[in-house]
Amino acid sequence: MTFDVAVILVHYHAADLAKEAVAALREDVQRHGIAAEWLLVDNGSDEAERALLASLPISVLDAGGNRGYAGGVNFGAAHAHADTLLLLNPDVLVFPG
């Protein structure tokens, strides 16, 4: 599949926020017919967070520990298949429009 954009979220103990961020943006992306690849870089989660992340309709990439934000972005970008990257912090909510 060809993607228009790869949405990359880097999270460190922010699974709840990441879930909300994905839900908010995913709805708008689908409404506009954008083919998006969803990548969440897990910079460190406990068991409960891993279970929550596994329920999301996105690819979760285990960074093997906390790489920091820049390291997490680079890790996610290395796994992306789209030419365009959207870096989204998990505490950002995108509203329709």
Side-chain angles (χ1 to χ4, degrees):
M1 176 176 196
T2 302
F3 296 106
D4 298 319
V5 63
V7 180
I8 301 172
L9 290 95
V10 177
H11 109 94
Y12 179 73
H13 295 297
D16 288 335
L17 292 174
K19 178 182 177 181
E20 291 177 36
V22 168
L25 182 58
R26 188 176 187 85
E27 182 179 318
D28 211 37
V29 164
Q30 288 175 339
R31 181 175 30 259
H32 291 286
I34 299 168
E37 175 183 26
W38 297 85
L39 304 171
L40 186 139
V41 177
D42 183 2
N43 261 349
S45 292
D46 58 31
E47 195 171 314
E49 287 177 313
R50 280 191 295 278
L52 174 63
L53 295 174
S55 73
L56 300 179
I58 60 176
S59 297
V60 178
L61 306 173
D62 184 354
N66 188 359
R67 295 173 178 251
Y69 183 75
V73 166
N74 288 334
F75 185 77
H79 288 83
H81 297 99
D83 291 332
T84 303
L85 307 178
L86 170 60
L87 308 178
L88 186 70
N89 288 341
D91 62 347
V92 171
L93 293 180
V94 177
F95 293 96

